[in-house]
Amino acid sequence: MLCEYGFERRRSTGLQGTSCYRKQLGGGAAFVELHGACVGCYDPSRGAGLGFLFVRNRERCFLYSGAEPPPPGTYMEGTLQSGPPLDLYFASLRFLDWWIDYEGWIERGATMGWREQNFKALAKLPASSAALAPVDAVRWLQRYRHSPAQASRIRDIMRSKRRGGGPETCRPV
């Protein structure tokens, strides 16, 4: 589905066994790059320090200051910064806009139940830690994008669900 949405599949550097997909954003220099180990949004035309990166095994988002996207699994000392939170939020906006748009495209174009089938398949993998169900995840993304102070942390939502709480923190915005 990524290639149908305009991504280019590329040879992955760094960790072997992961794929790399890249998509230019809005006709400019900015792009999103997806790997199995990390995802990020970069804009080389704006200089270093303005990239956004999520590293899966660290379960965190970072401001990324490298000139090029990092090879998955290899993060140069000093290129990852965790804040300030407002800077991290603003650095994430292009990525969030892309992601929300992609989820809408999936909803409009994929066969019925495609996203849910992928979610269930991911949950069956041995090292998987699937978080929110697809509908809850999209609602959370939209809430975080438009009202970050109103969005609960996903780990808190998951904790609440394990204790029998409902998805009240995932209401539409």
Side-chain angles (χ1 to χ4, degrees):
M1 293 294 274
L2 290 171
C3 292
E4 293 162 7
Y5 185 66
F7 274 83
E8 171 192 1
R9 186 172 182 170
R10 303 165 58 100
R11 187 171 165 260
S12 182
T13 59
L15 296 174
Q16 296 305 305
T18 64
S19 297
C20 173
Y21 294 88
R22 183 182 283 193
K23 178 179 175 59
Q24 296 297 129
L25 298 177
F31 60 92
V32 168
E33 192 167 277
L34 309 175
H35 294 273
C38 61
V39 298
C41 187
Y42 313 92
D43 188 348
S45 70
R46 296 181 71 191
L50 298 174
F52 169 79
L53 179 69
F54 172 78
V55 179
R56 180 176 290 189
N57 67 356
R58 295 186 188 186
E59 298 179 348
R60 300 191 60 138
C61 297
F62 297 94
L63 294 170
Y64 179 72
S65 62
E68 292 290 323
T74 306
Y75 310 103
M76 299 296 292
E77 191 67 33
T79 61
L80 303 178
Q81 298 159 357
S82 59
L86 197 55
D87 289 354
L88 190 56
Y89 171 73
F90 284 115
S92 75
L93 292 179
R94 278 186 121 163
F95 183 78
L96 291 168
D97 289 342
W98 161 79
W99 193 356
I100 290 167
D101 185 68
Y102 177 69
E103 291 297 335
W105 181 82
I106 291 289
E107 182 67 29
R108 292 184 303 275
T111 58
M112 183 81 98
W114 183 84
R115 175 60 77 208
E116 290 75 17
Q117 290 172 351
N118 281 281
F119 178 74
K120 288 177 183 175
L122 176 66
K124 290 179 183 178
L125 295 175
S128 172
S129 59
L132 299 176
V135 69
D136 290 336
V138 171
R139 287 181 184 150
W140 185 91
L141 283 171
Q142 292 168 339
R143 177 164 294 236
Y144 179 75
R145 169 60 176 95
H146 299 291
S147 302
Q150 302 293 318
S152 299
R153 294 183 69 145
I154 290 176
R155 69 182 71 172
D156 294 339
I157 296 169
M158 297 307 295
R159 243 183 249 129
S160 174
K161 285 185 174 204
R162 282 191 296 272
R163 289 188 301 239
E168 64 278 359
T169 54
C170 295
R171 290 187 305 269
V173 287

